[in-house]
Amino acid sequence: MSNKKILVTGGAGFIGGNFVQYMVNKYPNYDIYNLDLLTYAGDLSKHKSIEQEKNYHFIKADITDRNEVFAIFEREKFDYVAHFAAESHVDRSITEPEIFIKTNVLGTQVLLDASKEFNIKKFVHVSTDEVYGELDFDPETFFTEETPLQPNSPYSASKASSDLLVRAYHETFNLPMNITRCSNNYGPFHFPEKLIPLTISRVLNDQKIPVYGDGKNIRDWLHVTDHCAAIDLVMHEGANGEVYNVGGHNERTNLEVVKTIINTLEKSVDLIEFVTDRLGHDKRYAIDPTKLEKLGWEPTYNFETGIAQTIQWYMDNKEWWEQILSGDYKKYFEKQYTFEK
Ligand code: NAD
Ligand code: TYD
């Protein structure tokens, strides 16, 4: 592989952070640039293992700042962009939708303009299956790349809007691009506001687990390493202009997920607390990954092996998530959850 300069936006967050580490280690002759604003969701302490590597670079910047982004593109002359930076938590999009539109829609548009101006070879837009809306509980129905976009939350509406902009820049300006739409990720460095790390960290601390509604909503879980491999493959091999769904057929109800974690840690199901349901709570997500599999992708984890690895990681890396739980996140948790703790 010849040398390439790759811009990763949001590389201090969960998936972008895993992707940065994956790429720095896999391609010593690529230069990987992590551009991140370091919002509440971004943290650089996760990159201790790579921060000394010659092919890793960090740029603190805001993707919505046009002048700053253009100056960086002009200076660095990137070959590829992998765009992860976003506001990503559905619950926050219900209480504070505006920042989702600013970051996810306007931020993407700024990056598209810069990518067009500086002739990026490919823009990989990391999106989500949530843009398709929800499925019913019929286990034979799946999201395909042809499923119409019907987002239900401010978060998924902002992501769908950015997907449409990426498509439009391809159609109008011939910007080379791919869009990936992945199911729910889990794994190391997942911010503990999301279901799986929230449950692991709270079970380890013998605290109640807030389960929304009846806990029967279904998500299709993918280990973050398998997602990183998918983005790498699409960046190198994806057909220009195509959308690829990413998922590994690991559908579980939220209650099944929570009980698996409780059982693995040998704690009591009495920790489960059913709380008021999320507004507009999507019933079920499930991905048909056939198109990506034809490109050569297959996941290395199933849910059982992936969740075991993840629980072990949270047990071995307490200092990472404890520092988050003791910071601003504490205030968020108290505002978000009103149940008896
Ligand atoms: P995350 O919230 O953990 O990280 C987002 C990162 O973006 C943070 O480091 C944050 O500092 C950075 N950021 C936010 N606003 C910025 C700005 N204005 N300028 C520069 N950086 C900014 O998110 P994640 O879970 O890693 O998700 C990454 C991407 O993958 C998102 O686009 C998300 O929509 C998508 N996605 C997530 C999932 C999932 O299960 N988490 C599934 C499918 C797709
Ligand atoms: P989440 O991790 O927020 O991901 P997403 O909303 O993007 O799917 O939530 C996963 C599922 O878990 C979702 O159905 C909502 C549910 N959930 C709870 O039951 N309790 C919680 O405290 C959280 C954060 C989520």
Side-chain angles (χ1 to χ4, degrees):
M1 290 282 177
S2 61
N3 202 15
K4 289 189 173 63
K5 278 184 146 192
I6 300 187
L7 172 66
V8 180
T9 70
F14 165 46
I15 309 175
N18 276 277
F19 184 72
V20 162
Q21 294 181 14
Y22 178 98
M23 295 298 280
V24 164
N25 291 323
K26 181 167 175 186
Y27 299 105
N29 58 333
Y30 284 14
D31 276 301
I32 309 299
Y33 290 77
N34 167 13
L35 184 154
D36 199 294
L37 182 59
L38 302 180
T39 67
Y40 81 93
D43 106 282
L44 291 178
S45 73
K46 58 173 56 104
H47 290 321
K48 281 198 189 90
S49 67
I50 55 158
E51 65 193 8
Q52 302 300 336
E53 299 296 336
K54 282 203 292 292
N55 64 336
Y56 171 69
H57 314 270
F58 175 68
I59 304 170
K60 183 166 191 272
D62 183 344
I63 58 165
T64 69
D65 185 331
R66 194 179 180 84
N67 292 338
E68 197 177 19
V69 167
F70 269 64
I72 294 164
F73 271 68
E74 184 164 28
R75 187 178 73 225
E76 302 296 350
K77 310 217 170 0
F78 303 117
D79 296 296
Y80 289 78
V81 176
H83 175 34
F84 295 80
E87 289 294 331
S88 69
H89 192 36
V90 173
D91 290 327
R92 291 184 192 251
S93 82
I94 294 168
T95 50
E96 278 182 77
E98 196 174 331
I99 184 70
F100 284 72
I101 306 308
K102 184 175 180 219
T103 302
N104 300 359
V105 185
L106 293 178
T108 301
Q109 192 238 327
V110 168
L111 289 168
L112 288 168
D113 275 344
S115 298
K116 168 167 91 72
E117 178 76 20
F118 296 100
N119 299 314
I120 292 299
K121 295 192 182 80
K122 188 184 277 181
F123 187 95
V124 180
H125 180 61
V126 181
S127 190
T128 165
D129 60 354
E130 302 191 25
V131 297
Y132 297 123
E134 65 176 359
L135 294 166
D136 61 26
F137 290 111
D138 172 0
E140 297 306 315
T141 57
F142 298 97
F143 294 136
T144 73
E145 290 78 3
E146 271 68 54
T147 304
L149 304 192
Q150 283 187 314
N152 292 321
S153 72
Y155 162 67
S156 53
S158 70
K159 292 296 291 187
S161 307
S162 63
D163 287 21
L164 294 180
L165 278 173
V166 177
R167 182 193 138 81
Y169 273 65
H170 176 70
E171 296 296 325
T172 307
F173 305 114
N174 282 325
L175 181 76
M177 67 80 168
N178 287 118
I179 297 173
T180 59
R181 297 192 178 127
C182 190
S183 61
N184 285 62
N185 282 214
Y186 67 100
F189 297 116
H190 202 181
F191 195 88
E193 67 186 349
K194 306 277 169 68
L195 180 69
I196 286 184
L198 178 140
T199 302
I200 299 173
S201 57
R202 291 183 69 80
V203 172
L204 284 171
N205 284 336
D206 292 306
Q207 291 166 316
K208 292 277 189 189
I209 314 305
V211 172
Y212 296 159
D214 59 10
K216 292 193 179 137
N217 302 61
I218 290 175
R219 297 293 182 262
D220 185 357
W221 294 96
L222 187 74
H223 192 279
V224 65
T225 308
D226 288 325
H227 189 188
C228 292
I231 305 287
D232 178 19
L233 178 68
V234 168
M235 179 180 275
H236 288 97
E237 309 285 344
N240 186 14
E242 292 295 315
V243 176
Y244 295 93
N245 284 352
V246 191
H249 288 302
N250 288 293
E251 290 178 49
R252 297 288 184 282
T253 67
N254 294 337
L255 257 189
E256 285 167 339
V257 169
V258 168
K259 283 185 179 166
T260 299
I261 295 169
I262 289 175
N263 291 338
T264 307
L265 291 170
E266 297 178 342
K267 296 287 176 80
S268 162
V269 288
D270 292 345
L271 286 176
I272 294 172
E273 181 96 14
F274 290 95
V275 300
T276 311
D277 208 353
R278 173 186 280 174
L279 296 175
H281 195 172
D282 285 337
K283 283 199 277 291
R284 173 173 167 258
Y285 305 141
I287 286 275
D288 175 354
T290 308
K291 188 173 171 183
L292 187 66
E293 285 168 352
K294 284 190 186 144
L295 199 66
W297 177 83
E298 59 175 352
T300 57
Y301 288 93
N302 59 30
F303 188 69
E304 282 64 40
T305 55
I307 197 72
Q309 184 265 7
T310 303
I311 293 171
Q312 190 60 50
W313 188 90
Y314 276 79
M315 290 169 74
D316 295 341
N317 291 275
K318 263 188 150 188
E319 71 290 350
W320 180 77
W321 53 268
E322 275 175 345
Q323 108 207 293
I324 292 170
L325 294 186
S326 61
D328 277 355
Y329 175 73
K330 209 170 162 187
K331 283 184 230 135
Y332 165 81
F333 192 89
E334 274 157 17
K335 232 169 101 191
Q336 173 71 17
Y337 299 98
T338 50
F339 68 98
E340 203 70 44
K341 292 164 199 114

